[in-house]
Amino acid sequence: GAVVSQHPSWVICKSGTSVKIECRSLDFQATTMFWYRQFPKQSLMLMATSNEGSKATYEQGVEKDKFLINHASLTLSTLTVTSAHPEDSSFYICSARKTRSYNEQFFGPGTRLTVL
Amino acid sequence: GDSVTQMEGPVTLSEEAFLTINCTYTATGYPSLFWYVQYPGEGLQLLLKATKADDKGSNKGFEATYRKETTSFHLEKGSVQVSDSAVYFCALKGRGSQGNLIFGKGTKLSVKP
């Protein structure tokens, strides 16, 4: 298989707090992981690409100081939403690409973030 | 920039009906094209793909043909089942990209018994 998990699956937090979302490749090594954001009835928008052991590459318009990405191992990437505000409420999805594979990405089930 | 446009949903069909979900794209060069499916409560799964013009991707009775002349990659299935109820995403990956995908907005399909 090629299973990607995300934790938590949903989280509710107060405005101003930080939230960490984990993305794990359970049965393969992933040099590259991607973080997407999905608004209701909208497509997935790529936020950043993270490569194990190096800094993430952020898409235009994504604040890297607000959305901290760490990819410290070949099976784990984390996204931390710092000082969250209600407008950060969204569905966050990660995907992972197998090491030495350019093609297929395997997606996690997503994390629903609600900021009050 | 590159983009994907797919038909708005939701689409509601009766079991055994014919399905078409339209997808067109704008891209420089010759991108690879994909259809992903997201079943309720699950992550996106690759349904089928095509990497060059005139290629036909197929899986689980679904088909899509890469049409360069119309920049389209329409998804079709001859006879849908209740278990096909899901959200379907059309996506492209450019040749020169780092592997990131550009998605359409998704089309929700509901199949009634």
Side-chain angles (χ1 to χ4, degrees), chain A residues 32 34 49 51 57 97 102 105, chain B residues 93-100:
Chain A
T32 303
F34 303 89
T49 302
N51 291 294
T57 302
R97 191 170 69 200
Y102 181 69
Q105 294 179 29
Chain B
K93 179 162 69 76
R95 294 289 179 198
S97 70
Q98 294 297 310
N100 57 287

Side-chain angles (χ1 to χ4, degrees), chain A residues 86-105:
Chain A
E87 58 265 30
D88 299 324
S89 298
S90 192
F91 196 56
Y92 293 88
I93 300 174
C94 75
S95 70
R97 191 170 69 200
K98 290 182 178 180
T99 300
R100 289 187 294 277
S101 170
Y102 181 69
N103 289 322
E104 190 171 355
Q105 294 179 29

Side-chain angles (χ1 to χ4, degrees), chain B residues 17-32:
Chain B
F18 183 84
L19 168 71
T20 299
I21 301 178
N22 290 337
C23 172
T24 56
Y25 67 90
T26 302
T28 53
Y30 304 100
S32 295

Side-chain angles (χ1 to χ4, degrees), chain A residues 32 34 36 38 41-44 46 49 59 91 93 97 102-109, chain B residues 34 36 38 41-44 46 49 89 93-101 103-105:
Chain A
T32 303
F34 303 89
Y36 296 85
Q38 184 180 25
K41 299 184 180 180
Q42 299 290 323
S43 62
L44 281 72
L46 179 67
T49 302
E59 295 298 300
F91 196 56
I93 300 174
R97 191 170 69 200
Y102 181 69
N103 289 322
E104 190 171 355
Q105 294 179 29
F106 301 94
F107 286 81
Chain B
F34 305 82
Y36 282 84
Q38 186 177 30
E42 299 183 17
L44 274 74
L46 179 64
K49 66 180 180 182
F89 292 89
K93 179 162 69 76
R95 294 289 179 198
S97 70
Q98 294 297 310
N100 57 287
L101 296 165
F103 288 89
K105 291 186 177 183

